[in-house]
PDB file of all heavy atoms in Angstrom:
ATOM      1  N   LEU A   1      24.473   1.691 -14.403  1.00 98.00           N
ATOM      2  CA  LEU A   1      23.427   2.707 -14.382  1.00 98.00           C
ATOM      3  C   LEU A   1      23.914   4.011 -13.776  1.00 98.00           C
ATOM      4  O   LEU A   1      23.584   5.113 -14.247  1.00 98.00           O
ATOM      5  CB  LEU A   1      22.242   2.165 -13.606  1.00 98.00           C
ATOM      6  CG  LEU A   1      21.480   0.983 -14.189  1.00 98.00           C
ATOM      7  CD1 LEU A   1      20.371   0.532 -13.237  1.00 98.00           C
ATOM      8  CD2 LEU A   1      20.926   1.288 -15.583  1.00 98.00           C
ATOM      9  N   THR A   2      24.706   3.919 -12.726  1.00 98.00           N
ATOM     10  CA  THR A   2      25.266   5.115 -12.073  1.00 98.00           C
ATOM     11  C   THR A   2      26.134   5.880 -13.038  1.00 98.00           C
ATOM     12  O   THR A   2      26.099   7.099 -13.106  1.00 98.00           O
ATOM     13  CB  THR A   2      26.059   4.715 -10.811  1.00 98.00           C
ATOM     14  OG1 THR A   2      25.226   4.082  -9.871  1.00 98.00           O
ATOM     15  CG2 THR A   2      26.701   5.970 -10.163  1.00 98.00           C
ATOM     16  N   GLY A   3      26.948   5.149 -13.845  1.00 97.00           N
ATOM     17  CA  GLY A   3      27.768   5.788 -14.815  1.00 97.00           C
ATOM     18  C   GLY A   3      26.973   6.461 -15.921  1.00 97.00           C
ATOM     19  O   GLY A   3      27.288   7.606 -16.358  1.00 97.00           O
ATOM     20  N   LEU A   4      25.882   5.807 -16.372  1.00 98.00           N
ATOM     21  CA  LEU A   4      25.030   6.387 -17.382  1.00 98.00           C
ATOM     22  C   LEU A   4      24.331   7.640 -16.854  1.00 98.00           C
ATOM     23  O   LEU A   4      24.188   8.644 -17.589  1.00 98.00           O
ATOM     24  CB  LEU A   4      23.989   5.366 -17.846  1.00 98.00           C
ATOM     25  CG  LEU A   4      24.483   4.170 -18.698  1.00 98.00           C
ATOM     26  CD1 LEU A   4      23.407   3.111 -18.844  1.00 98.00           C
ATOM     27  CD2 LEU A   4      24.980   4.661 -20.056  1.00 98.00           C
ATOM     28  N   ALA A   5      23.921   7.611 -15.571  1.00 97.00           N
ATOM     29  CA  ALA A   5      23.259   8.773 -14.995  1.00 97.00           C
ATOM     30  C   ALA A   5      24.236   9.931 -14.854  1.00 97.00           C
ATOM     31  O   ALA A   5      23.886  11.087 -15.062  1.00 97.00           O
ATOM     32  CB  ALA A   5      22.645   8.405 -13.651  1.00 97.00           C
ATOM     33  N   ALA A   6      25.488   9.624 -14.473  1.00 97.00           N
ATOM     34  CA  ALA A   6      26.524  10.663 -14.289  1.00 97.00           C
ATOM     35  C   ALA A   6      26.780  11.426 -15.543  1.00 97.00           C
ATOM     36  O   ALA A   6      27.038  12.665 -15.496  1.00 97.00           O
ATOM     37  CB  ALA A   6      27.789  10.046 -13.733  1.00 97.00           C
ATOM     38  N   ARG A   7      26.729  10.752 -16.679  1.00 96.00           N
ATOM     39  CA  ARG A   7      26.979  11.457 -17.917  1.00 96.00           C
ATOM     40  C   ARG A   7      25.724  11.908 -18.673  1.00 96.00           C
ATOM     41  O   ARG A   7      25.802  12.364 -19.797  1.00 96.00           O
ATOM     42  CB  ARG A   7      27.847  10.614 -18.852  1.00 96.00           C
ATOM     43  CG  ARG A   7      27.250   9.370 -19.431  1.00 96.00           C
ATOM     44  CD  ARG A   7      28.249   8.774 -20.412  1.00 96.00           C
ATOM     45  NE  ARG A   7      27.705   7.682 -21.171  1.00 96.00           N
ATOM     46  CZ  ARG A   7      27.959   6.388 -20.924  1.00 96.00           C
ATOM     47  NH1 ARG A   7      28.714   6.063 -19.922  1.00 96.00           N
ATOM     48  NH2 ARG A   7      27.420   5.428 -21.727  1.00 96.00           N
ATOM     49  N   GLY A   8      24.576  11.786 -17.957  1.00 95.00           N
ATOM     50  CA  GLY A   8      23.314  12.284 -18.529  1.00 95.00           C
ATOM     51  C   GLY A   8      22.648  11.405 -19.583  1.00 95.00           C
ATOM     52  O   GLY A   8      21.717  11.854 -20.215  1.00 95.00           O
ATOM     53  N   ALA A   9      23.141  10.191 -19.744  1.00 96.00           N
ATOM     54  CA  ALA A   9      22.565   9.303 -20.753  1.00 96.00           C
ATOM     55  C   ALA A   9      21.192   8.776 -20.337  1.00 96.00           C
ATOM     56  O   ALA A   9      20.357   8.437 -21.179  1.00 96.00           O
ATOM     57  CB  ALA A   9      23.527   8.137 -21.027  1.00 96.00           C
ATOM     58  N   ILE A  10      20.962   8.698 -19.033  1.00 96.00           N
ATOM     59  CA  ILE A  10      19.679   8.259 -18.507  1.00 96.00           C
ATOM     60  C   ILE A  10      19.310   9.217 -17.335  1.00 96.00           C
ATOM     61  O   ILE A  10      20.151   9.719 -16.646  1.00 96.00           O
ATOM     62  CB  ILE A  10      19.661   6.806 -17.979  1.00 96.00           C
ATOM     63  CG1 ILE A  10      20.645   6.569 -16.858  1.00 96.00           C
ATOM     64  CG2 ILE A  10      19.934   5.821 -19.151  1.00 96.00           C
ATOM     65  CD1 ILE A  10      20.564   5.225 -16.220  1.00 96.00           C
ATOM     66  N   LYS A  11      18.025   9.418 -17.218  1.00 96.00           N
ATOM     67  CA  LYS A  11      17.487  10.241 -16.117  1.00 96.00           C
ATOM     68  C   LYS A  11      16.056   9.884 -15.923  1.00 96.00           C
ATOM     69  O   LYS A  11      15.221  10.130 -16.812  1.00 96.00           O
ATOM     70  CB  LYS A  11      17.605  11.747 -16.469  1.00 96.00           C
ATOM     71  CG  LYS A  11      17.215  12.659 -15.275  1.00 96.00           C
ATOM     72  CD  LYS A  11      17.366  14.118 -15.712  1.00 96.00           C
ATOM     73  CE  LYS A  11      16.976  15.124 -14.606  1.00 96.00           C
ATOM     74  NZ  LYS A  11      17.893  15.028 -13.453  1.00 96.00           N
ATOM     75  N   PRO A  12      15.730   9.199 -14.806  1.00 96.00           N
ATOM     76  CA  PRO A  12      14.353   8.735 -14.630  1.00 96.00           C
ATOM     77  C   PRO A  12      13.331   9.860 -14.784  1.00 96.00           C
ATOM     78  O   PRO A  12      13.542  10.990 -14.228  1.00 96.00           O
ATOM     79  CB  PRO A  12      14.372   8.207 -13.179  1.00 96.00           C
ATOM     80  CG  PRO A  12      15.778   7.749 -12.983  1.00 96.00           C
ATOM     81  CD  PRO A  12      16.604   8.734 -13.724  1.00 96.00           C
ATOM     82  N   LEU A  13      12.281   9.594 -15.490  1.00 94.00           N
ATOM     83  CA  LEU A  13      11.211  10.544 -15.697  1.00 94.00           C
ATOM     84  C   LEU A  13      10.251  10.467 -14.532  1.00 94.00           C
ATOM     85  O   LEU A  13       9.458   9.517 -14.386  1.00 94.00           O
ATOM     86  CB  LEU A  13      10.422  10.209 -17.002  1.00 94.00           C
ATOM     87  CG  LEU A  13       9.134  11.004 -17.246  1.00 94.00           C
ATOM     88  CD1 LEU A  13       9.444  12.483 -17.367  1.00 94.00           C
ATOM     89  CD2 LEU A  13       8.441  10.502 -18.520  1.00 94.00           C
ATOM     90  N   VAL A  14      10.332  11.433 -13.684  1.00 96.00           N
ATOM     91  CA  VAL A  14       9.427  11.552 -12.491  1.00 96.00           C
ATOM     92  C   VAL A  14       8.373  12.572 -12.853  1.00 96.00           C
ATOM     93  O   VAL A  14       8.645  13.784 -12.817  1.00 96.00           O
ATOM     94  CB  VAL A  14      10.197  11.905 -11.193  1.00 96.00           C
ATOM     95  CG1 VAL A  14       9.210  11.972 -10.021  1.00 96.00           C
ATOM     96  CG2 VAL A  14      11.282  10.912 -10.900  1.00 96.00           C
ATOM     97  N   SER A  15       7.214  12.093 -13.184  1.00 94.00           N
ATOM     98  CA  SER A  15       6.170  13.010 -13.680  1.00 94.00           C
ATOM     99  C   SER A  15       5.408  13.668 -12.510  1.00 94.00           C
ATOM    100  O   SER A  15       4.872  14.774 -12.700  1.00 94.00           O
ATOM    101  CB  SER A  15       5.145  12.205 -14.535  1.00 94.00           C
ATOM    102  OG  SER A  15       4.574  11.169 -13.790  1.00 94.00           O
ATOM    103  N   GLU A  16       5.376  13.032 -11.337  1.00 95.00           N
ATOM    104  CA  GLU A  16       4.658  13.624 -10.191  1.00 95.00           C
ATOM    105  C   GLU A  16       5.457  13.299  -8.927  1.00 95.00           C
ATOM    106  O   GLU A  16       6.042  12.254  -8.773  1.00 95.00           O
ATOM    107  CB  GLU A  16       3.277  13.007 -10.059  1.00 95.00           C
ATOM    108  CG  GLU A  16       2.334  13.344 -11.194  1.00 95.00           C
ATOM    109  CD  GLU A  16       0.926  12.720 -10.929  1.00 95.00           C
ATOM    110  OE1 GLU A  16       0.324  13.051  -9.927  1.00 95.00           O
ATOM    111  OE2 GLU A  16       0.532  11.890 -11.777  1.00 95.00           O
ATOM    112  N   ARG A  17       5.367  14.226  -7.981  1.00 97.00           N
ATOM    113  CA  ARG A  17       5.907  14.022  -6.642  1.00 97.00           C
ATOM    114  C   ARG A  17       4.798  14.425  -5.671  1.00 97.00           C
ATOM    115  O   ARG A  17       4.399  15.578  -5.623  1.00 97.00           O
ATOM    116  CB  ARG A  17       7.146  14.947  -6.457  1.00 97.00           C
ATOM    117  CG  ARG A  17       8.278  14.624  -7.444  1.00 97.00           C
ATOM    118  CD  ARG A  17       9.260  15.812  -7.511  1.00 97.00           C
ATOM    119  NE  ARG A  17      10.217  15.591  -8.603  1.00 97.00           N
ATOM    120  CZ  ARG A  17      11.455  15.258  -8.491  1.00 97.00           C
ATOM    121  NH1 ARG A  17      11.990  15.115  -7.276  1.00 97.00           N
ATOM    122  NH2 ARG A  17      12.248  15.041  -9.554  1.00 97.00           N
ATOM    123  N   VAL A  18       4.347  13.424  -4.959  1.00 97.00           N
ATOM    124  CA  VAL A  18       3.176  13.664  -4.081  1.00 97.00           C
ATOM    125  C   VAL A  18       3.594  13.457  -2.622  1.00 97.00           C
ATOM    126  O   VAL A  18       4.476  12.708  -2.323  1.00 97.00           O
ATOM    127  CB  VAL A  18       2.015  12.695  -4.440  1.00 97.00           C
ATOM    128  CG1 VAL A  18       1.605  12.859  -5.915  1.00 97.00           C
ATOM    129  CG2 VAL A  18       2.388  11.227  -4.152  1.00 97.00           C
ATOM    130  N   PRO A  19       2.892  14.142  -1.700  1.00 97.00           N
ATOM    131  CA  PRO A  19       3.166  13.926  -0.290  1.00 97.00           C
ATOM    132  C   PRO A  19       2.659  12.576   0.153  1.00 97.00           C
ATOM    133  O   PRO A  19       1.918  11.895  -0.557  1.00 97.00           O
ATOM    134  CB  PRO A  19       2.372  15.060   0.401  1.00 97.00           C
ATOM    135  CG  PRO A  19       1.272  15.361  -0.560  1.00 97.00           C
ATOM    136  CD  PRO A  19       1.845  15.183  -1.929  1.00 97.00           C
ATOM    137  N   LEU A  20       3.068  12.133   1.332  1.00 97.00           N
ATOM    138  CA  LEU A  20       2.688  10.862   1.844  1.00 97.00           C
ATOM    139  C   LEU A  20       1.182  10.684   1.861  1.00 97.00           C
ATOM    140  O   LEU A  20       0.674   9.621   1.523  1.00 97.00           O
ATOM    141  CB  LEU A  20       3.264  10.648   3.269  1.00 97.00           C
ATOM    142  CG  LEU A  20       3.062   9.243   3.905  1.00 97.00           C
ATOM    143  CD1 LEU A  20       3.704   8.161   3.063  1.00 97.00           C
ATOM    144  CD2 LEU A  20       3.634   9.239   5.272  1.00 97.00           C
ATOM    145  N   ALA A  21       0.472  11.767   2.192  1.00 97.00           N
ATOM    146  CA  ALA A  21      -0.976  11.676   2.267  1.00 97.00           C
ATOM    147  C   ALA A  21      -1.633  11.339   0.949  1.00 97.00           C
ATOM    148  O   ALA A  21      -2.757  10.875   0.879  1.00 97.00           O
ATOM    149  CB  ALA A  21      -1.553  12.983   2.817  1.00 97.00           C
ATOM    150  N   GLY A  22      -0.939  11.589  -0.154  1.00 97.00           N
ATOM    151  CA  GLY A  22      -1.502  11.358  -1.484  1.00 97.00           C
ATOM    152  C   GLY A  22      -1.147  10.014  -2.087  1.00 97.00           C
ATOM    153  O   GLY A  22      -1.458   9.766  -3.246  1.00 97.00           O
ATOM    154  N   ALA A  23      -0.522   9.129  -1.292  1.00 97.00           N
ATOM    155  CA  ALA A  23       0.007   7.866  -1.853  1.00 97.00           C
ATOM    156  C   ALA A  23      -1.098   6.948  -2.396  1.00 97.00           C
ATOM    157  O   ALA A  23      -0.984   6.396  -3.486  1.00 97.00           O
ATOM    158  CB  ALA A  23       0.817   7.142  -0.789  1.00 97.00           C
ATOM    159  N   ALA A  24      -2.191   6.767  -1.664  1.00 98.00           N
ATOM    160  CA  ALA A  24      -3.239   5.811  -2.094  1.00 98.00           C
ATOM    161  C   ALA A  24      -3.826   6.209  -3.416  1.00 98.00           C
ATOM    162  O   ALA A  24      -4.013   5.404  -4.350  1.00 98.00           O
ATOM    163  CB  ALA A  24      -4.321   5.710  -1.022  1.00 98.00           C
ATOM    164  N   ASP A  25      -4.161   7.507  -3.554  1.00 97.00           N
ATOM    165  CA  ASP A  25      -4.697   7.991  -4.790  1.00 97.00           C
ATOM    166  C   ASP A  25      -3.685   7.808  -5.935  1.00 97.00           C
ATOM    167  O   ASP A  25      -4.089   7.423  -7.051  1.00 97.00           O
ATOM    168  CB  ASP A  25      -5.054   9.485  -4.683  1.00 97.00           C
ATOM    169  CG  ASP A  25      -5.543  10.064  -5.998  1.00 97.00           C
ATOM    170  OD1 ASP A  25      -6.643   9.680  -6.457  1.00 97.00           O
ATOM    171  OD2 ASP A  25      -4.838  10.923  -6.552  1.00 97.00           O
ATOM    172  N   ALA A  26      -2.419   8.058  -5.681  1.00 97.00           N
ATOM    173  CA  ALA A  26      -1.386   7.919  -6.704  1.00 97.00           C
ATOM    174  C   ALA A  26      -1.189   6.448  -7.119  1.00 97.00           C
ATOM    175  O   ALA A  26      -1.069   6.171  -8.305  1.00 97.00           O
ATOM    176  CB  ALA A  26      -0.080   8.500  -6.204  1.00 97.00           C
ATOM    177  N   VAL A  27      -1.203   5.527  -6.155  1.00 97.00           N
ATOM    178  CA  VAL A  27      -1.097   4.114  -6.524  1.00 97.00           C
ATOM    179  C   VAL A  27      -2.291   3.701  -7.389  1.00 97.00           C
ATOM    180  O   VAL A  27      -2.136   2.952  -8.336  1.00 97.00           O
ATOM    181  CB  VAL A  27      -1.031   3.270  -5.243  1.00 97.00           C
ATOM    182  CG1 VAL A  27      -1.012   1.782  -5.602  1.00 97.00           C
ATOM    183  CG2 VAL A  27       0.237   3.576  -4.450  1.00 97.00           C
ATOM    184  N   GLN A  28      -3.457   4.164  -7.059  1.00 97.00           N
ATOM    185  CA  GLN A  28      -4.664   3.851  -7.870  1.00 97.00           C
ATOM    186  C   GLN A  28      -4.545   4.342  -9.279  1.00 97.00           C
ATOM    187  O   GLN A  28      -4.888   3.640 -10.234  1.00 97.00           O
ATOM    188  CB  GLN A  28      -5.902   4.368  -7.194  1.00 97.00           C
ATOM    189  CG  GLN A  28      -7.185   3.925  -7.867  1.00 97.00           C
ATOM    190  CD  GLN A  28      -7.412   2.452  -7.722  1.00 97.00           C
ATOM    191  OE1 GLN A  28      -7.455   1.906  -6.629  1.00 97.00           O
ATOM    192  NE2 GLN A  28      -7.518   1.743  -8.866  1.00 97.00           N
ATOM    193  N   ARG A  29      -4.019   5.567  -9.405  1.00 96.00           N
ATOM    194  CA  ARG A  29      -3.851   6.134 -10.795  1.00 96.00           C
ATOM    195  C   ARG A  29      -2.815   5.367 -11.588  1.00 96.00           C
ATOM    196  O   ARG A  29      -2.991   5.171 -12.789  1.00 96.00           O
ATOM    197  CB  ARG A  29      -3.500   7.597 -10.709  1.00 96.00           C
ATOM    198  CG  ARG A  29      -4.704   8.487 -10.273  1.00 96.00           C
ATOM    199  CD  ARG A  29      -4.454   9.964 -10.374  1.00 96.00           C
ATOM    200  NE  ARG A  29      -3.592  10.379  -9.319  1.00 96.00           N
ATOM    201  CZ  ARG A  29      -2.339  10.877  -9.492  1.00 96.00           C
ATOM    202  NH1 ARG A  29      -1.836  10.893 -10.739  1.00 96.00           N
ATOM    203  NH2 ARG A  29      -1.637  11.259  -8.493  1.00 96.00           N
ATOM    204  N   VAL A  30      -1.728   4.939 -10.929  1.00 94.00           N
ATOM    205  CA  VAL A  30      -0.777   4.040 -11.610  1.00 94.00           C
ATOM    206  C   VAL A  30      -1.434   2.733 -12.039  1.00 94.00           C
ATOM    207  O   VAL A  30      -1.253   2.279 -13.145  1.00 94.00           O
ATOM    208  CB  VAL A  30       0.450   3.797 -10.695  1.00 94.00           C
ATOM    209  CG1 VAL A  30       1.374   2.722 -11.286  1.00 94.00           C
ATOM    210  CG2 VAL A  30       1.255   5.083 -10.481  1.00 94.00           C
ATOM    211  N   ALA A  31      -2.238   2.194 -11.130  1.00 92.00           N
ATOM    212  CA  ALA A  31      -2.927   0.947 -11.476  1.00 92.00           C
ATOM    213  C   ALA A  31      -3.868   1.075 -12.633  1.00 92.00           C
ATOM    214  O   ALA A  31      -4.020   0.174 -13.455  1.00 92.00           O
ATOM    215  CB  ALA A  31      -3.723   0.482 -10.221  1.00 92.00           C
ATOM    216  N   ASP A  32      -4.498   2.280 -12.751  1.00 92.00           N
ATOM    217  CA  ASP A  32      -5.440   2.496 -13.825  1.00 92.00           C
ATOM    218  C   ASP A  32      -4.776   2.976 -15.129  1.00 92.00           C
ATOM    219  O   ASP A  32      -5.489   3.282 -16.098  1.00 92.00           O
ATOM    220  CB  ASP A  32      -6.483   3.560 -13.364  1.00 92.00           C
ATOM    221  CG  ASP A  32      -7.349   3.058 -12.207  1.00 92.00           C
ATOM    222  OD1 ASP A  32      -7.457   1.843 -12.063  1.00 92.00           O
ATOM    223  OD2 ASP A  32      -7.912   3.897 -11.487  1.00 92.00           O
ATOM    224  N   GLY A  33      -3.456   3.065 -15.130  1.00 88.00           N
ATOM    225  CA  GLY A  33      -2.800   3.455 -16.352  1.00 88.00           C
ATOM    226  C   GLY A  33      -2.928   4.920 -16.714  1.00 88.00           C
ATOM    227  O   GLY A  33      -2.825   5.294 -17.887  1.00 88.00           O
TER     228      GLY A  33
END
């Protein structure tokens, strides 16, 4: 996986970055699809 990432073949899609205070709401939204 590290090799694939190094050559740009894979790159995790991070759609949101939330602060620690927003974790509960974010977990609920993941749970709800």
Side-chain angles (χ1 to χ4, degrees):
L1 295 176
T2 298
L4 289 170
R7 67 173 189 261
I10 60 173
K11 186 180 180 67
L13 171 62
V14 180
S15 59
E16 296 181 59
R17 300 161 190 253
V18 302
L20 185 60
D25 176 67
V27 174
Q28 187 65 58
R29 286 186 288 112
V30 170
D32 294 337

